[in-house]
Amino acid sequence: MSRYILKIDCQDEKGLIYRISDAVFGYKLNIVKNDEFVDKEYGKFFMRAELSGEINKDEFFKTLKTMLPEGANIYIGLKDKKNIVLMGTKESHVLGDILLKHYRDELNANILAVISNYDDLKELAEKFDIPFFCIAYDAVSREEHEKKILSKLQELKPDFIVLAKYMRILSSSFVEQYKEKIINIHHSFLPAFIGANPYKQAYERGVKIIGATAHFVNNNLDEGPIIAQDVITVNHEFDWKDMQRAGRNVEKMVLSTALDLALEDRIFVHKNKTVIF
Amino acid sequence: MSRYILKIDCQDEKGLIYRISDAVFGYKLNIVKNDEFVDKEYGKFFMRAELSGEINKDEFFKTLKTMLPEGANIYIGLKDKKNIVLMGTKESHVLGDILLKHYRDELNANILAVISNYDDLKELAEKFDIPFFCIAYDAVSREEHEKKILSKLQELKPDFIVLAKYMRILSSSFVEQYKEKIINIHHSFLPAFIGANPYKQAYERGVKIIGATAHFVNNNLDEGPIIAQDVITVNHEFDWKDMQRAGRNVEKMVLSTALDLALEDRIFVHKNKTVIF
Amino acid sequence: MSRYILKIDCQDEKGLIYRISDAVFGYKLNIVKNDEFVDKEYGKFFMRAELSGEINKDEFFKTLKTMLPEGANIYIGLKDKKNIVLMGTKESHVLGDILLKHYRDELNANILAVISNYDDLKELAEKFDIPFFCIAYDAVSREEHEKKILSKLQELKPDFIVLAKYMRILSSSFVEQYKEKIINIHHSFLPAFIGANPYKQAYERGVKIIGATAHFVNNNLDEGPIIAQDVITVNHEFDWKDMQRAGRNVEKMVLSTALDLALEDRIFVHKNKTVIF
Amino acid sequence: MSRYILKIDCQDEKGLIYRISDAVFGYKLNIVKNDEFVDKEYGKFFMRAELSGEINKDEFFKTLKTMLPEGANIYIGLKDKKNIVLMGTKESHVLGDILLKHYRDELNANILAVISNYDDLKELAEKFDIPFFCIAYDAVSREEHEKKILSKLQELKPDFIVLAKYMRILSSSFVEQYKEKIINIHHSFLPAFIGANPYKQAYERGVKIIGATAHFVNNNLDEGPIIAQDVITVNHEFDWKDMQRAGRNVEKMVLSTALDLALEDRIFVHKNKTVIF
């Protein structure tokens, strides 16, 4: 018996659950887990179900399409390992944490490659037998640089791209091609401390908590839909280097949480916010 | 249009959601919110739905009964204020917090009375115009004492009894009469520090976190199904009095959370554990 | 034997602790608790000690003055209850929490009065026998309004003014007269969501954590030195009203923590940040 | 200029700080950071200072010895990297996290070796060029097994031994030889769930928080002095495998925190509790 993930979002209306569960029943699928949510502000219905059984995905898709409101988004996927590409720059704590999880076979994903604009992370990637591609940007224009990365990505075909402390801003056109597919970790509890060196900003402001935010990347820097956040407490004894050091544990944890959610198809994006089951 | 809460738990089987949503649809009810969970260890299905519409509750109950597996528990209630009785002894922080919430009309309940074995709390209850009954236990046997309380409770008919730092152990026969209706706050992160003076125990053990646990009361002291828990950090500077003082904030917060969940019919009890939507 | 709090901050230099403990020893004082911190960025020394013994405060002050670097701030106070004034507007959750703590004699302070620009809180203040002064601002200019409040404050002479959800911005000249004496609770984890309705802002941004910040009030709205912060997690099921409701528990807890720190003379302010022992 | 750590604990008496700071001043040492604490229950004084300057450690020790109460413990050490040995069994998440920190040069320690009773961790240790010693216990008695480990440890001379999920109980005589030198991570918020498979115990009990505890190892299993603890929330959807998976992040974080504290000489042990600066 196969396991499927069914995700639906559409305009809410009476009888939706009835019709969907009717279809599920008709295809002899068992509902292992089911979550629903209605955003009342927008009258929008969200549903994610884990199903077991054997189906023709295309047929099931068509059946659902005919019974759901126009404009409904329907996703039917096998519950399986996804393919990801990691991108980094120089800092290795987040990258290393993901590589270790993968090494222990605790990550629901195959890591296809590490891409970086420097070669500092090469040694670490290769310790874990992950192909490493250094695509430097010193001699080329930004456009040229992104073109090279995109060409590599088109070859690798990842389901998700994980920015594991990748410290370069991606252009709109780049982001556009991987909508809701690029996950970034920002080292502050957004929307506080957008931009460069959030720990320095946090230190200057004298906050008593610092945090990290994992989000999908969109056109506006640090303003994409938030997937996961967490914080830790700090005090006057922390200078910004201490905050950075302490914050690294949270960055690892938050990105790890967000990545798991993405890999299990648990995230919907709506109006720059996430609905997560 | 009325709002109803529908709660079902029964043996899991294929098509349950389909059949239930069929019935819901047949009664022209709209599903405002819906949660489901299957406990795989026991093959048990849990569901809670908020419905809007107009129905004959008894008829709807019968319809559901016929289509669900034998032994299914079905609860259909109006989404409305519940009636509660608070019981306390001498400490007023938890009681005061609930009285204040009630005063601000933020509690989804009517407080019918405060019952206590001392009269220390009388003044506070009366400040907020809540009837106060002191049922002292000094001159009577435990059995006699509980009989008096039970007689008062039978008169008041509360949906839930909240032990707001009520410091006397209730007998099995008392508890039996209000199964899953008595909520207690214990001042430790259970199962650590069962019994008397958990803060002193925590201090002796030198823990770095202390907490509080809200649970339904069953026959075994501090061993009932856990509804909510939370903790705060402490350090070597805290003696047990400091822990007690700091812990009071958590006790208030945890009992408040648990009470809200109970008042909104969000809690199922199964095998001494809670399923909470 | 009396208990004193000694607070010193001054330019750091070698031998400071030696000289201070020499003076303490000379005055036959016992050091019950002692904390020190050096801000390396500014070369500034901070110290707070709890001392027991009997001294002439003025003499001790003079002795310390002569041995400390120029510009040193020295505070010597009896460890005793302080006097506070609470200011509110309409919301009662934070005010009520402080009144309850005071009622239970758990607050290290006398509450001299509640001052409000509306009379919604009158009933609650009077339940707890605290003088209530409604100073409305509808018929008067802002300047006139603040003059009336200031006149009342000058009469009451509080050590601290607690803005328990006081929803009006205080002018620079008002704030100037109570520097590091006015504590405010802001319902977000500052610096995120400065200004009006932070819960709505948090909802719009789709954050997964919300919080509260207690800070001293300075000339710039929501930008004063932060004393305490805390957060709780939220999810897509929370609309902004739900966030507000959940946030109230954190607001109460954070203001309560900050107030305790102030009442025990534990806070230093330096460069718009706090050093807290 | 060298950096030293000075740790003193002794019976409390008047003038201690004065005398100590007199000696520090006499040796022309600068106090960079200073913490003191008096355990009032036992009248015990604790102090830790970071000093900069140049001294003859033995002489300074003698000077302090003569001026402190009898039985005083005095530790003077260079602020420097310590040497540690990691011990593991099969699980690699905690070990991997420490190896990664060491690889990034963020750990204030040299890792001398990984010792394990299985060879599952060999590959990982060698990826990071750390000597790995498998000391199996299948063909030998427990006494024999520990003798082999002790012989290796005597050769390596570590300052601390870190049990990174080492799943065998150490004998009293082993522990005795490394008093306050062996740090263990237990996968529960002790004292809840002592012994085997705490996650299963937590699942059975239906708790809403799970945690981890780092502690020094003493003669009684899971009862040594607690150094650090943290928790995360769980709910009814977690089976014990899910709890284990989620708990691993906390285990890593808590052991990492405890290890940092040990490596910086911040921990005192007194009456089976820790005082931590």
Side-chain angles (χ1 to χ4, degrees):
Chain A
M1 288 247 275
S2 303
R3 280 282 185 105
Y4 300 91
I5 304 293
L6 169 65
K7 284 172 72 183
I8 292 171
D9 67 80
C10 60
Q11 211 49 37
D12 189 32
E13 52 179 55
K14 217 184 247 192
L16 270 183
I17 297 176
Y18 166 63
R19 276 177 276 157
I20 296 166
S21 55
D22 187 20
V24 166
F25 192 63
Y27 276 79
K28 297 196 170 62
L29 289 160
N30 202 27
I31 298 175
V32 180
K33 192 169 165 7
N34 187 32
D35 286 288
E36 289 136 22
F37 171 69
V38 175
D39 181 321
K40 278 164 225 157
E41 194 184 348
Y42 294 97
K44 187 116 188 227
F45 172 86
F46 299 87
M47 172 181 162
R48 177 190 180 274
E50 288 190 34
L51 308 169
S52 72
E54 289 304 339
I55 49 164
N56 178 316
K57 286 204 299 179
D58 291 346
E59 252 182 55
F60 187 44
F61 183 93
K62 273 180 212 153
T63 303
L64 287 166
K65 197 77 189 169
T66 59
M67 59 173 50
L68 291 173
E70 229 185 275
N73 298 307
I74 304 167
Y75 166 91
I76 306 163
L78 272 171
K79 200 186 172 184
D80 208 357
K81 283 203 176 181
K82 299 230 183 309
N83 295 315
I84 63 174
V85 164
L86 308 178
M87 288 177 67
T89 295
K90 291 183 166 192
E91 280 184 280
S92 67
H93 58 290
V94 170
L95 184 81
D97 193 56
I98 299 174
L99 292 175
L100 264 181
K101 276 215 172 100
H102 181 257
Y103 172 75
R104 291 200 308 270
D105 202 20
E106 258 198 70
L107 195 73
N108 203 16
N110 307 305
I111 301 178
L112 304 175
V114 173
I115 297 176
S116 177
N117 38 2
Y118 288 90
D119 57 11
D120 300 58
L121 302 171
K122 186 175 197 289
E123 190 186 278
L124 186 61
E126 293 183 348
K127 271 187 201 306
F128 291 97
D129 306 314
I130 305 295
F132 178 88
F133 302 99
C134 178
I135 303 181
Y137 59 65
D138 40 6
V140 295
S141 71
R142 175 169 156 162
E143 214 187 326
E144 207 52 43
H145 183 239
E146 288 200 347
K147 218 165 143 184
K148 284 185 185 180
I149 299 176
L150 282 169
S151 141
K152 179 54 73 184
L153 288 172
Q154 274 141 20
E155 182 192 322
L156 295 166
K157 294 187 183 51
D159 296 299
F160 290 103
I161 298 161
V162 182
L163 306 188
K165 309 294 289 178
Y166 180 73
M167 300 311 274
R168 213 178 189 210
I169 297 167
L170 298 169
S171 72
S172 294
S173 75
F174 187 111
V175 169
E176 205 55 52
Q177 292 177 61
Y178 290 95
K179 234 187 136 191
E180 296 168 27
K181 297 290 174 207
I182 311 176
I183 299 169
N184 185 45
I185 180 73
H186 183 79
H187 36 311
S188 85
F189 51 94
L190 288 174
F193 312 128
I194 281 175
N197 211 334
Y199 291 122
K200 224 167 193 164
Q201 292 183 57
Y203 170 72
E204 295 297 341
R205 181 60 187 91
V207 293
K208 301 297 183 186
I209 50 175
I210 57 170
T213 304
H215 62 94
F216 284 124
V217 176
N218 70 4
N219 288 338
N220 302 309
L221 181 63
D222 303 332
E223 295 191 5
I226 293 172
I227 305 169
Q229 297 189 288
D230 205 355
V231 299
I232 48 168
T233 56
V234 292
N235 61 42
H236 61 266
E237 296 197 30
F238 286 68
D239 62 28
W240 78 264
K241 287 270 181 190
D242 298 324
M243 290 187 180
Q244 182 182 48
R245 194 166 187 273
R248 281 187 186 127
N249 280 323
V250 191
E251 294 174 31
K252 278 161 28 180
M253 212 162 178
V254 168
L255 184 57
S256 168
T257 302
L259 183 52
D260 282 351
L261 295 170
L263 294 175
E264 294 176 7
D265 293 314
R266 292 175 176 278
I267 315 174
F268 293 81
V269 173
H270 176 56
K271 301 280 169 190
N272 208 40
K273 293 196 251 186
T274 57
V275 170
I276 297 176
F277 294 127
Chain B
M1 288 247 274
S2 303
R3 280 283 184 106
Y4 301 91
I5 304 293
L6 169 65
K7 284 171 74 184
I8 292 170
D9 67 79
C10 61
Q11 210 48 38
D12 188 33
E13 50 178 57
K14 219 184 244 190
L16 271 181
I17 297 176
Y18 166 62
R19 277 178 274 158
I20 297 165
S21 56
D22 187 19
V24 166
F25 192 62
Y27 276 79
K28 296 197 170 60
L29 290 160
N30 202 25
I31 299 175
V32 180
K33 193 169 164 9
N34 188 30
D35 286 288
E36 290 137 22
F37 172 68
V38 174
D39 181 320
K40 277 165 225 156
E41 194 183 349
Y42 293 97
K44 187 114 188 227
F45 172 85
F46 300 87
M47 172 181 161
R48 177 191 179 275
E50 289 189 33
L51 308 169
S52 73
E54 289 305 339
I55 50 164
N56 177 317
K57 285 204 299 177
D58 291 346
E59 251 182 57
F60 186 44
F61 184 92
K62 272 180 215 153
T63 304
L64 287 167
K65 197 76 190 170
T66 58
M67 59 173 48
L68 291 173
E70 229 184 274
N73 298 307
I74 304 167
Y75 165 91
I76 306 163
L78 271 171
K79 199 186 172 183
D80 208 356
K81 283 203 177 183
K82 299 229 184 308
N83 295 315
I84 64 173
V85 165
L86 308 178
M87 289 177 67
T89 295
K90 292 183 167 192
E91 281 184 280
S92 67
H93 59 290
V94 170
L95 185 80
D97 192 57
I98 299 174
L99 292 175
L100 263 181
K101 276 213 171 102
H102 181 257
Y103 172 75
R104 291 199 308 270
D105 202 20
E106 258 198 71
L107 196 72
N108 202 16
N110 306 306
I111 302 177
L112 305 175
V114 172
I115 298 176
S116 177
N117 37 2
Y118 288 90
D119 57 11
D120 301 57
L121 302 171
K122 187 174 195 289
E123 190 186 278
L124 187 61
E126 293 183 349
K127 271 188 202 303
F128 291 98
D129 306 314
I130 305 295
F132 178 87
F133 303 100
C134 178
I135 303 181
Y137 59 66
D138 39 7
V140 295
S141 71
R142 173 169 156 161
E143 215 187 325
E144 209 50 45
H145 183 239
E146 288 199 348
K147 220 168 140 181
K148 285 185 185 180
I149 299 176
L150 282 170
S151 142
K152 180 54 74 185
L153 288 172
Q154 274 141 20
E155 183 193 321
L156 294 166
K157 294 188 184 51
D159 296 300
F160 290 102
I161 298 160
V162 182
L163 306 188
K165 308 296 289 178
Y166 180 73
M167 300 311 273
R168 211 174 191 214
I169 297 166
L170 297 169
S171 73
S172 295
S173 74
F174 188 110
V175 169
E176 205 55 50
Q177 292 177 61
Y178 290 95
K179 234 186 137 191
E180 297 170 24
K181 297 291 175 207
I182 311 174
I183 300 170
N184 183 46
I185 179 73
H186 182 79
H187 36 311
S188 85
F189 50 94
L190 288 173
F193 312 128
I194 281 175
N197 212 333
Y199 290 122
K200 223 166 195 166
Q201 292 183 58
Y203 170 72
E204 295 298 339
R205 181 60 187 91
V207 293
K208 302 298 183 187
I209 51 175
I210 58 171
T213 305
H215 61 95
F216 284 124
V217 176
N218 70 4
N219 288 337
N220 302 310
L221 181 64
D222 303 333
E223 297 192 4
I226 293 171
I227 305 169
Q229 298 188 287
D230 205 355
V231 297
I232 48 166
T233 56
V234 292
N235 61 43
H236 62 264
E237 296 198 30
F238 286 68
D239 62 28
W240 78 263
K241 288 269 180 192
D242 298 324
M243 288 186 181
Q244 183 183 48
R245 192 165 187 273
R248 282 190 185 123
N249 280 323
V250 191
E251 293 174 32
K252 279 162 26 181
M253 210 163 181
V254 168
L255 184 57
S256 168
T257 302
L259 184 53
D260 282 351
L261 294 170
L263 294 175
E264 295 177 5
D265 293 314
R266 292 176 176 277
I267 314 173
F268 294 81
V269 173
H270 176 56
K271 301 277 170 193
N272 208 39
K273 293 195 250 186
T274 57
V275 169
I276 297 176
F277 294 127
Chain C
M1 289 248 274
S2 304
R3 280 283 185 106
Y4 300 92
I5 304 293
L6 169 65
K7 284 172 73 185
I8 292 170
D9 66 80
C10 61
Q11 209 50 36
D12 188 31
E13 50 178 56
K14 218 185 245 190
L16 270 182
I17 296 176
Y18 165 62
R19 276 178 275 158
I20 296 166
S21 55
D22 187 19
V24 166
F25 191 62
Y27 276 78
K28 297 196 170 61
L29 290 160
N30 203 25
I31 298 175
V32 180
K33 195 172 164 2
N34 188 30
D35 286 289
E36 289 136 22
F37 172 68
V38 175
D39 181 320
K40 278 166 224 155
E41 195 183 349
Y42 294 97
K44 187 115 189 227
F45 171 85
F46 299 88
M47 173 181 162
R48 176 191 180 274
E50 288 189 33
L51 307 169
S52 73
E54 289 305 340
I55 49 165
N56 178 316
K57 286 204 299 178
D58 291 346
E59 251 181 56
F60 186 45
F61 183 92
K62 272 179 215 154
T63 304
L64 287 166
K65 197 77 190 170
T66 58
M67 59 174 48
L68 292 173
E70 228 185 275
N73 297 307
I74 304 168
Y75 165 90
I76 306 163
L78 271 172
K79 200 186 172 183
D80 209 357
K81 282 202 177 184
K82 299 228 184 310
N83 295 316
I84 64 174
V85 165
L86 308 178
M87 290 177 66
T89 295
K90 293 183 166 193
E91 281 184 281
S92 67
H93 58 290
V94 170
L95 185 80
D97 192 56
I98 299 174
L99 291 175
L100 263 180
K101 276 213 173 101
H102 182 257
Y103 172 75
R104 291 199 309 270
D105 202 20
E106 258 199 70
L107 196 71
N108 203 16
N110 307 306
I111 302 178
L112 304 175
V114 172
I115 297 176
S116 177
N117 38 2
Y118 288 90
D119 58 11
D120 301 58
L121 302 171
K122 186 175 195 289
E123 190 185 278
L124 186 61
E126 292 183 350
K127 272 188 200 304
F128 290 97
D129 307 314
I130 305 295
F132 178 87
F133 303 100
C134 178
I135 302 180
Y137 59 66
D138 39 8
V140 295
S141 71
R142 173 169 155 162
E143 214 187 326
E144 208 51 44
H145 183 239
E146 288 199 348
K147 220 166 139 182
K148 285 185 185 181
I149 300 176
L150 281 170
S151 142
K152 179 53 75 185
L153 288 172
Q154 273 140 20
E155 183 192 322
L156 295 166
K157 294 188 183 50
D159 295 301
F160 290 102
I161 299 161
V162 181
L163 306 188
K165 308 296 288 179
Y166 180 73
M167 300 311 273
R168 208 168 197 218
I169 296 167
L170 297 170
S171 72
S172 295
S173 74
F174 188 110
V175 169
E176 204 56 50
Q177 292 177 61
Y178 290 95
K179 235 186 138 192
E180 298 170 24
K181 298 291 175 205
I182 311 175
I183 299 170
N184 184 46
I185 179 73
H186 183 78
H187 36 311
S188 86
F189 50 93
L190 288 173
F193 311 129
I194 281 175
N197 212 334
Y199 291 121
K200 223 167 196 163
Q201 292 183 57
Y203 170 72
E204 296 297 340
R205 181 61 187 91
V207 293
K208 302 298 183 187
I209 51 175
I210 58 171
T213 305
H215 62 95
F216 284 124
V217 176
N218 69 4
N219 288 338
N220 302 309
L221 182 63
D222 303 334
E223 296 192 4
I226 293 171
I227 304 170
Q229 300 188 285
D230 205 355
V231 297
I232 48 168
T233 57
V234 292
N235 61 42
H236 62 265
E237 295 198 30
F238 287 68
D239 63 27
W240 78 263
K241 288 268 180 193
D242 298 324
M243 288 186 181
Q244 183 183 48
R245 193 165 187 275
R248 281 189 186 126
N249 280 324
V250 191
E251 293 173 31
K252 278 162 27 181
M253 212 164 180
V254 168
L255 184 57
S256 167
T257 302
L259 184 52
D260 283 351
L261 295 170
L263 294 175
E264 295 177 7
D265 293 315
R266 290 175 177 279
I267 314 174
F268 294 82
V269 173
H270 176 57
K271 301 276 168 194
N272 208 40
K273 294 196 249 185
T274 57
V275 170
I276 297 176
F277 293 128
Chain D
M1 290 249 273
S2 303
R3 281 284 185 105
Y4 300 91
I5 305 292
L6 169 65
K7 284 172 72 184
I8 292 171
D9 67 80
C10 60
Q11 210 50 36
D12 189 30
E13 51 178 54
K14 217 184 247 193
L16 271 182
I17 297 175
Y18 166 62
R19 275 178 275 158
I20 297 165
S21 55
D22 187 20
V24 166
F25 191 62
Y27 277 78
K28 298 197 170 61
L29 290 160
N30 202 26
I31 298 176
V32 180
K33 194 170 163 6
N34 188 32
D35 286 288
E36 288 137 23
F37 172 68
V38 174
D39 181 320
K40 278 166 226 157
E41 195 183 348
Y42 293 98
K44 188 116 188 226
F45 172 85
F46 299 86
M47 173 181 161
R48 176 191 180 274
E50 287 189 33
L51 307 169
S52 73
E54 288 304 339
I55 50 164
N56 179 318
K57 287 205 297 178
D58 291 346
E59 252 180 57
F60 187 44
F61 184 92
K62 273 180 213 154
T63 303
L64 288 167
K65 198 75 189 169
T66 59
M67 60 173 49
L68 291 173
E70 229 185 275
N73 298 307
I74 303 167
Y75 165 90
I76 305 163
L78 271 171
K79 200 186 172 183
D80 208 358
K81 284 201 176 182
K82 299 228 183 310
N83 295 315
I84 64 174
V85 164
L86 308 178
M87 288 178 67
T89 294
K90 292 183 166 191
E91 281 184 279
S92 66
H93 58 291
V94 170
L95 185 81
D97 192 55
I98 299 174
L99 292 175
L100 263 181
K101 277 213 173 101
H102 181 258
Y103 172 74
R104 290 200 309 270
D105 201 20
E106 258 198 71
L107 195 72
N108 202 16
N110 306 306
I111 302 178
L112 305 175
V114 172
I115 298 176
S116 177
N117 38 1
Y118 288 91
D119 58 10
D120 300 58
L121 302 171
K122 187 175 195 290
E123 191 185 279
L124 187 61
E126 292 183 348
K127 271 187 202 304
F128 291 96
D129 306 314
I130 305 295
F132 178 88
F133 302 99
C134 178
I135 304 181
Y137 59 65
D138 40 7
V140 295
S141 71
R142 175 169 155 161
E143 213 187 325
E144 208 50 46
H145 183 238
E146 288 199 348
K147 219 165 141 184
K148 284 186 184 180
I149 299 177
L150 281 170
S151 141
K152 179 53 74 185
L153 288 172
Q154 274 141 20
E155 183 192 321
L156 295 166
K157 296 188 183 48
D159 296 299
F160 291 102
I161 298 161
V162 182
L163 305 188
K165 308 296 287 178
Y166 180 73
M167 300 312 273
R168 206 166 199 220
I169 297 167
L170 297 170
S171 72
S172 295
S173 74
F174 188 110
V175 169
E176 205 55 50
Q177 293 177 61
Y178 291 95
K179 236 187 136 191
E180 296 169 27
K181 297 291 174 206
I182 311 176
I183 299 170
N184 184 44
I185 179 73
H186 183 78
H187 36 311
S188 86
F189 50 95
L190 289 174
F193 312 129
I194 281 174
N197 212 334
Y199 291 122
K200 224 166 193 164
Q201 292 183 57
Y203 170 73
E204 295 298 341
R205 181 60 188 92
V207 293
K208 302 298 182 187
I209 51 175
I210 57 170
T213 304
H215 61 94
F216 283 124
V217 176
N218 70 4
N219 288 338
N220 302 309
L221 182 63
D222 302 333
E223 296 191 4
I226 293 172
I227 305 169
Q229 298 189 288
D230 205 355
V231 298
I232 48 168
T233 57
V234 293
N235 60 42
H236 61 265
E237 295 197 31
F238 286 68
D239 62 28
W240 77 264
K241 287 269 182 193
D242 298 324
M243 289 186 181
Q244 182 182 48
R245 193 165 187 274
R248 281 188 185 126
N249 281 323
V250 191
E251 294 173 31
K252 278 162 26 180
M253 213 163 178
V254 169
L255 184 57
S256 168
T257 301
L259 184 51
D260 282 351
L261 294 169
L263 295 175
E264 295 177 6
D265 293 314
R266 292 176 176 277
I267 315 174
F268 292 82
V269 173
H270 176 57
K271 301 279 169 191
N272 208 39
K273 292 196 250 186
T274 56
V275 170
I276 297 176
F277 293 128

